[in-house]
Amino acid sequence: LAASINLGEQCYAISFSYGSKHNKFENEAARIIAEYYKVPFQLIDISSVMIDFKSDLLLTGADIPEGHYNDSSMKRTVVPCRNLIFGSILAGYAQSNKIDQIKLGIHSGDHFIYPDCRPEFFYSFAYTVNKATEGTVRVEAPFLDLDKADIVKIGLELNVPYQLTRTCYKYQQIACGVCGSCNERKEAFALNNAVDPLTYKE
């Protein structure tokens, strides 16, 4: 999950430690990228809250499925209500600090697998946050109708340092190259006729 909070022209990057297999590596990547863009970064630990959640994405779950991102097996990586929890914390953080909007990185490639990445969830959540904060916090999802290839294209145009990013779902330093998330990333670069600068184990 990517999340940010805007205060005027200032952007704050916030990530969560929640016990997923790739959490350690994605949070380090998030910190490095925030540092690259000179954006304040904060890591919020909620691992104790989600310790009894059931998902193969978590350290307590089974192996991460391999194959295509849209394979039904990838539904095993759903973490119940993850974005609802993340978003609610961000909304409370924003309201407490007089920040007017939060942004979620959910995109259309997630719609098939993850219920809390679908438009129905987003619009419902945005409405709820608006009411809960008396209109002081707005929720946005700029990639909601874009797929990973669209996002990679935008990133290439903006010279995003993709070599610093993390996509793999597995508990390993070097991206596996065979899980659904890695395959979706590689496909996105291929559709843009671009070279993925990341090194893969396979």
Side-chain angles (χ1 to χ4, degrees), residues 168-201:
C168 183
Y169 275 174
K170 292 193 177 183
Y171 183 73
Q172 55 189 63
Q173 184 69 49
I174 300 175
C176 71
V178 293
C179 71
S181 191
C182 280
N183 283 328
E184 185 195 34
R185 174 185 173 127
K186 292 193 295 184
E187 182 180 86
F189 274 91
L191 289 171
N192 280 284
N193 296 311
V195 176
D196 184 349
L198 207 63
T199 297
Y200 292 94
K201 183 177 180 180

Side-chain angles (χ1 to χ4, degrees), residues 1 3-5 13-18 42-50 53 81-99 101-104 121 125 128-129 132-133 137 139:
L1 175 77
S4 67
I5 291 180
I14 293 180
S15 192
F16 295 90
S17 178
Y18 64 100
Q42 181 173 347
L43 181 63
I44 299 176
D45 187 351
I46 58 170
S47 53
S48 62
V49 174
M50 305 175 81
F53 283 32
C81 296
R82 179 178 60 169
N83 285 343
L84 176 61
I85 295 167
F86 290 174
S88 297
I89 293 171
L90 291 176
Y93 183 100
Q95 186 177 27
S96 296
N97 292 280
K98 294 182 170 54
I99 296 169
Q101 62 180 281
I102 62 176
K103 295 182 184 292
L104 305 179
F121 165 78
F125 179 69
T128 299
V129 169
T133 64
V137 178
V139 183

Side-chain angles (χ1 to χ4, degrees), residues 56-57 62-67 73-77 169-170 178-181:
D56 287 349
L57 191 65
D63 291 342
I64 295 293
E66 298 178 356
S73 62
M74 284 297 292
K75 292 184 178 181
R76 289 165 31 204
T77 64
Y169 275 174
K170 292 193 177 183
V178 293
C179 71
S181 191

